[in-house]
Amino acid sequence: MKAFLLSIWRFRHFIQSSIKAEFLGRFARSKLGALWMILNPLAQAAIFAIVLSEILAAKLPHVDSKSAYAIYLMAGTAAWGLFAEIVTRCTTVFIDYSNTLKKIAFPRLCLPLIVGGSALLNHLLLLSSIFVIFLLLGHMPTFAWLSVLVGIAIIMLFAFGLGILLGLLNVFSRDVGQVITIVLQLWFWLTPVVYTRETLPKQFTPILELNPMAMIVQIYQDALLFGKFPTWSNLFVPAMIAVGIFIFSFWIFRRASPDLVDAL
């Protein structure tokens, strides 16, 4: 494992330059360039705020604020978006870069790291846009917002580990890439992003308790909406699941790596 991590460290500049190239490549022919990374999520957040708060007057139970549901939804969507982007892109990353893997010698784990770094950059820009909308809504920041960093760390570990496992499986069985799209859609609706825990029928409560993303998403919602730090004891199980899958994915990847290029 030590040699494996050292090889990644030696290629750190390759990873950094690839993330930068991917970021700049999206706006190579755009006059506004990277500004679109702010404008797009800012527009989406503004639509949520205006439509839900002003037009539909959607409200959360026991919360006396017409903008509360919009904030709740934006917080949950941001957390889920980071998770879904890493898992989705890692699932196909080895296939997408199959020609590169066959022609250039470098640690294969660099590819998921590039995906994770790019997703994290997108996520931070999205959060900055959401924070601007919050300020316009008169929703002032609190110290509890810092707990979002804990949520980011757990999501990155969980999504990265799960994404590597699915990416390896997808190389040997291309059906995995098709199935995961459906699974993520179902998983999204089993996670309290659009609805609250209180509105969920009681027969679905056991499913919610088994869903690690439910508690992780709640970190964002509690911090950004209610200004509350998470209940740390409730995060123990999701954090252990994330760390366990992350370590297990490294072990599986190390065993499958020699056969990876031949299977592509």
Side-chain angles (χ1 to χ4, degrees), residues 86 90 93-94 107-117 160 164 253:
I86 295 175
C90 282
V93 68
F94 299 119
R108 296 168 178 85
L109 195 60
C110 288
L111 294 178
L113 290 174
I114 293 170
V115 167
F160 192 72
I164 290 177
F253 184 86

Side-chain angles (χ1 to χ4, degrees), residues 63-107:
V63 181
D64 187 21
S65 172
K66 66 179 182 179
S67 61
Y69 181 68
I71 295 170
Y72 177 87
L73 183 58
M74 283 186 279
T77 302
W80 178 265
L82 176 61
F83 171 74
E85 181 178 358
I86 295 175
V87 171
T88 301
R89 292 192 60 195
C90 282
T91 300
T92 60
V93 68
F94 299 119
I95 297 173
D96 294 340
Y97 289 90
S98 58
N99 290 333
T100 304
L101 287 170
K102 293 175 182 177
K103 295 177 181 179
I104 304 175
F106 63 93

Side-chain angles (χ1 to χ4, degrees), residues 4 108 168 172 251-264:
F4 198 63
R108 296 168 178 85
L168 292 172
F172 298 98
W251 182 73
I252 292 293
F253 184 86
R254 209 176 156 195
R255 294 176 64 88
S257 184
D259 300 323
L260 186 62
V261 175
D262 294 336
L264 289 168

Side-chain angles (χ1 to χ4, degrees), residues 42-178:
L42 189 62
Q44 182 185 30
I47 291 171
F48 278 153
I50 294 172
V51 174
L52 294 175
S53 302
E54 302 296 335
I55 299 177
L56 297 180
K59 292 185 178 181
L60 289 179
H62 313 299
V63 181
D64 187 21
S65 172
K66 66 179 182 179
S67 61
Y69 181 68
I71 295 170
Y72 177 87
L73 183 58
M74 283 186 279
T77 302
W80 178 265
L82 176 61
F83 171 74
E85 181 178 358
I86 295 175
V87 171
T88 301
R89 292 192 60 195
C90 282
T91 300
T92 60
V93 68
F94 299 119
I95 297 173
D96 294 340
Y97 289 90
S98 58
N99 290 333
T100 304
L101 287 170
K102 293 175 182 177
K103 295 177 181 179
I104 304 175
F106 63 93
R108 296 168 178 85
L109 195 60
C110 288
L111 294 178
L113 290 174
I114 293 170
V115 167
S118 178
L120 178 59
L121 179 59
N122 294 339
H123 185 65
L124 293 177
L125 290 171
L126 173 62
L127 286 179
S128 64
S129 302
I130 289 176
F131 292 160
V132 171
I133 293 295
F134 285 1
L135 294 175
L136 293 177
L137 291 173
H139 189 65
M140 295 296 106
T142 66
F143 283 112
W145 285 23
L146 294 175
S147 60
V148 168
L149 298 176
V150 177
I152 291 174
I154 298 176
I155 290 173
M156 292 286 290
L157 287 173
F158 186 35
F160 192 72
L162 188 60
I164 290 177
L165 292 175
L166 293 172
L168 292 172
L169 290 174
N170 198 35
V171 169
F172 298 98
S173 176
R174 303 300 166 89
D175 293 332
V176 173
Q178 305 298 324

Side-chain angles (χ1 to χ4, degrees), residues 20-58:
K20 181 179 179 180
E22 182 176 321
F23 178 78
L24 296 177
R26 298 182 183 183
F27 314 104
R29 296 180 181 274
S30 173
K31 293 183 179 180
L32 293 179
L35 186 60
W36 285 113
M37 292 294 294
I38 296 292
L39 293 178
N40 283 332
L42 189 62
Q44 182 185 30
I47 291 171
F48 278 153
I50 294 172
V51 174
L52 294 175
S53 302
E54 302 296 335
I55 299 177
L56 297 180

Side-chain angles (χ1 to χ4, degrees), residues 154 158 212-213 215-216 233-243:
I154 298 176
F158 186 35
M213 281 305 297
M215 188 57 66
I216 298 172
S233 59
N234 292 341
L235 295 181
F236 178 77
V237 173
M240 288 301 98
I241 291 174
V243 172

